[in-house]
């Protein structure tokens, strides 16, 4: 069976903003700011490197990576 990529949805930016809000509320991201062109600047903890997330897809990858790290650290989903 051939893999078909999921079409990009118009609300991807809103989904990314919602994930950033959740990550910040749970203390997984220290700070994040959205730029006018859909890019995000994110900092995981005070004094750490500021990451440039070029689009909503990269924000979602960050959220998934942090979720996986949490699961791997204690073996149970949160």
């Amino acid at each position: 069976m051939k893999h078909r990529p999921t079409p990009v949805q118009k609300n991807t930016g809103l989904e990314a903003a919602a994930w950033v809000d959740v990550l910040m509320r749970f203390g997984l991201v220290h700070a994040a700011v959205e730029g006018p062109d859909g890019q995000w600047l994110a900092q995981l903890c005070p004094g750490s490197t500021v990451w440039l997330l070029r689009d909503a897809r990269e924000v979602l990858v960050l959220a998934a990576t942090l979720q996986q790290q949490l699961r791997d650290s204690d073996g149970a989903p949160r």
Side-chain angles (χ1 to χ4, degrees):
M1 178 177 240
K2 187 176 180 181
H3 172 72
R4 295 183 185 188
T6 304
V8 175
Q9 298 178 358
K10 292 180 182 179
N11 293 333
T12 306
L14 294 175
E15 184 178 0
W19 271 110
V20 167
D21 183 56
V22 168
L23 294 172
M24 289 181 64
R25 285 179 190 227
F26 281 89
L28 299 172
V29 171
H30 170 68
V33 178
E34 183 178 12
D37 56 356
Q39 294 183 345
W40 286 83
L41 297 174
Q43 189 177 30
L44 299 183
C45 57
S48 69
T49 301
V50 175
W51 293 89
L52 171 63
L53 306 170
R54 291 179 289 263
D55 56 24
R57 182 190 58 79
E58 289 188 3
V59 172
L60 300 178
V61 169
L62 174 63
T65 300
L66 292 172
Q67 286 179 340
Q68 188 62 49
Q69 288 175 355
L70 285 172
R71 287 186 182 115
D72 291 346
S73 67
D74 66 1
R78 293 183 183 204

